[in-house]
Amino acid sequence: MKKVDMLTPIGILIGISMVVFGVISSGGMSGFLAFIDVPSILIVLGGVFGTLCVSFPLKQLKNMGRVGKQAFQSKEINVEEIVGTFVHLSEKARREGLLSLEAELEQIDDSFVKKGILLAIDGVEPEIIRELLEAEVAAVEERHARGRSMFEKAGDYAPAWGMIGTLVGLVLMLKSLNTPSSLGPNMAIALLTTFYGALLSNLFFQPIAAKLAGKTEHELFVKEVIIEGVIGLQAGQNSRFVQAKLKVFAPVEKRKLEEKREHVREA
């Protein structure tokens, strides 16, 4: 079940708040309004969008919003629950055979787990199971990397377009030195485009790309746990051995707590 990942909007809000606070505390409300310049915003956003259109196919760009949305969502994947599931399945498989696991598939929501169990039930060799599942893992990693690359590229392009806007502003300013009234607006374009480019890159595009990379890494880690569990099922390994093997994937803190509980029970 997906929930809202509050850290992403909170982090962006904190960053914006610090910038706004710094501007207002130094220059008041009039100083804040001086940082709002529509031509500068259009140069940076329009330039970034244009370069993304050149860099990526339309089909991929259409998914940019959906990909970015993942940074604001949190899907709970409990490794301990996965370990418990495979321990239960291994116990049942040892008692009643692999075919008995078909009845358990209805209670499993994860399609990757289902696919692995079906391969085990069908008697596919462990090497082939691992090869098939790891091929799917590689496909997931590649798909996520393609989606994330749009935000990484946007993070690279935004500061560059800020500098382009600065050059535009400087040229306009130099051409209008004889018109003092136009110096202010042209200087604003020259300076604010760099500001907007740096802000968008370091507070939005690059952090979202980093958050997506972290989510991908965790998802691939979980899939590796599942693969090991499926291989254990197919090989008919004892449930205790399956539990011990999969336990190494649990967080260190959880493992230490479980070890303490086992020592207390033994005492």
Side-chain angles (χ1 to χ4, degrees):
M1 181 179 178
K2 291 185 177 180
K3 298 181 180 180
V4 177
D5 187 347
M6 294 303 299
L7 282 178
T8 301
I10 288 174
I12 293 174
L13 184 61
I14 289 174
I16 294 175
S17 299
M18 291 301 99
V19 173
V20 172
F21 173 77
V23 172
I24 292 180
S25 63
S26 300
M29 199 62 191
S30 60
F32 173 74
L33 295 175
F35 275 77
I36 300 175
D37 186 75
V38 175
S40 298
I41 296 173
L42 293 177
I43 288 174
V44 176
L45 289 180
V48 170
F49 179 72
T51 49
L52 288 177
C53 289
V54 175
S55 303
F56 299 96
L58 180 61
K59 183 178 180 181
Q60 190 171 344
L61 281 176
K62 286 181 178 179
N63 293 326
M64 189 172 183
R66 182 179 60 80
V67 172
K69 186 179 179 182
Q70 302 301 315
F72 295 85
Q73 293 180 335
S74 176
K75 184 179 180 181
E76 292 184 359
I77 305 177
N78 193 322
V79 175
E80 289 180 298
E81 288 183 6
I82 293 175
V83 173
T85 297
F86 277 105
V87 169
H88 167 69
L89 293 175
S90 63
E91 289 175 349
K92 184 167 185 177
R94 295 266 294 182
R95 289 195 313 267
E96 305 172 25
L98 282 173
L99 290 176
S100 66
L101 300 183
E102 285 185 311
E104 301 285 335
L105 293 177
E106 296 180 358
Q107 303 174 16
I108 298 174
D109 298 325
D110 194 307
S111 60
F112 190 74
V113 175
K114 282 186 177 180
K115 180 178 180 179
I117 294 174
L118 284 172
L119 289 171
I121 291 173
D122 291 339
V124 180
E125 293 297 321
E127 296 80 7
I128 298 178
I129 292 177
R130 185 182 295 277
E131 184 177 340
L132 291 173
L133 294 182
E134 287 186 348
E136 184 169 335
V137 170
V140 169
E141 185 176 12
E142 175 63 24
R143 186 173 66 251
H144 287 194
R146 285 200 306 270
R148 186 173 67 249
S149 65
M150 291 184 288
F151 287 90
E152 292 172 343
K153 289 297 183 182
D156 293 337
Y157 295 147
W161 276 99
M163 291 301 299
I164 291 172
T166 295
L167 294 175
V168 170
L170 289 174
V171 170
L172 293 174
M173 185 181 67
L174 292 173
K175 291 186 68 174
S176 59
L177 287 177
N178 295 328
T179 310
S181 61
S182 64
L183 291 178
N186 291 334
M187 179 62 77
I189 294 177
L191 296 178
L192 288 178
T193 48
T194 298
F195 170 75
Y196 289 140
L199 190 65
L200 283 172
S201 176
N202 293 286
L203 188 58
F204 187 72
F205 293 128
Q206 294 288 7
I208 284 182
K211 175 61 73 71
L212 293 174
K215 288 180 179 292
T216 297
E217 184 178 346
H218 181 64
E219 182 176 345
L220 297 181
F221 168 76
V222 171
K223 289 186 183 302
E224 288 296 332
V225 177
I226 293 170
I227 290 173
E228 293 301 326
V230 171
I231 297 299
L233 276 180
Q234 202 282 339
Q237 294 173 349
N238 183 280
S239 60
R240 286 184 175 273
F241 180 78
V242 172
Q243 184 178 26
K245 183 173 70 171
L246 297 184
K247 252 186 188 181
V248 300
F249 293 100
V252 176
E253 295 79 7
K254 296 283 186 181
R255 295 209 307 267
K256 288 182 177 179
L257 180 61
E258 186 63 27
E259 289 173 359
K260 287 182 179 179
R261 289 175 179 172
E262 289 180 358
H263 287 318
V264 170
R265 285 196 295 266
E266 291 174 358

